[in-house]
């Protein structure tokens, strides 16, 4: 038996456009997760992150930690620490991703899902 659209309560439908309250709550969530993540990192990772632009963002699929590296050296060092960072993030949000953006805007960012951590264990 199928239900017609008009049979559903209007409150049960997804909003078409995000309200300002939705936007503020999303920003607060991203800020809080960023703080928990950073506090969970050791001094080495915190120091590496301080040399990069990094932030959390949410979209329809998952929370994403985006790290924009200013140079190749920083990019390489961040990639060497991606498994420990993924472990920390996985402890906070199980469906998150990490995207490491190299300094060359034409280069493809490296991206991994934290629930695929077992694939990358040999990197640690």
């Amino acid at each position: 038996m199928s239900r017609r659209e008009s049979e559903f309560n209007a409150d049960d439908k997804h909003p078409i456009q995000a309200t300002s309250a939705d936007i503020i709550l999303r920003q607060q969530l991203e800020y809080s997760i960023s703080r928990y993540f950073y506090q969970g990192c050791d001094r080495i990772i915190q120091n590496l992150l301080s040399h990069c632009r990094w932030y959390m963002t949410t979209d329809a699929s998952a929370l994403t930690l985006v790290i924009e590296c200013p140079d190749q050296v920083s990019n390489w060092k961040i990639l060497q620490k991606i498994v420990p960072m993924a472990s920390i993030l996985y402890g906070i949000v199980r469906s998150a991703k990490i995207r490491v953006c190299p300094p060359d805007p034409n280069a493809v960012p490296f991206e991994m899902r934290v629930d695929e951590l077992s694939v990358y264990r040999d990197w640690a």
Side-chain angles (χ1 to χ4, degrees):
M1 178 184 333
S2 66
R3 289 186 134 177
R4 290 176 302 169
E5 176 104 13
S6 61
E7 293 179 27
F8 290 104
N9 185 341
D11 291 339
D12 293 338
K13 296 179 186 175
H14 292 290
I16 293 171
Q17 188 172 12
T19 65
S20 40
D22 293 331
I23 294 167
I24 290 169
L25 288 172
R26 188 189 82 236
Q27 289 172 339
Q28 289 175 340
L29 175 65
E30 291 169 356
Y31 173 78
S32 295
I33 292 172
S34 294
R35 203 174 77 232
Y36 283 120
F37 169 74
Y38 187 78
Q39 290 171 349
C41 294
D42 63 23
R43 294 274 185 224
I44 294 169
I45 294 173
Q46 288 179 352
N47 188 40
L48 286 173
L49 290 171
S50 72
H51 290 90
C52 301
R53 179 174 183 255
W54 68 277
Y55 54 94
M56 298 285 180
T57 186
T58 53
D59 61 25
S61 61
L63 177 96
T64 304
L65 166 61
V66 179
I67 304 170
E68 297 174 353
C69 301
D71 55 55
Q72 281 300 94
V73 173
S74 298
N75 189 67
W76 176 244
K77 289 179 179 179
I78 288 288
L79 289 173
Q80 288 179 315
K81 292 294 185 178
I82 199 161
V83 171
M85 287 189 289
S87 295
I88 294 163
L89 192 54
Y90 183 77
I92 301 168
V93 181
R94 303 249 189 261
S95 61
K97 297 185 292 186
I98 298 176
R99 181 181 305 131
V100 180
C101 303
D104 179 2
N106 297 321
V108 177
F110 176 81
E111 192 169 290
M112 73 175 281
R113 293 183 1 208
V114 298
D115 62 355
E116 297 176 329
L117 205 48
S118 61
V119 174
Y120 298 95
R121 288 286 180 202
D122 292 340
W123 286 22

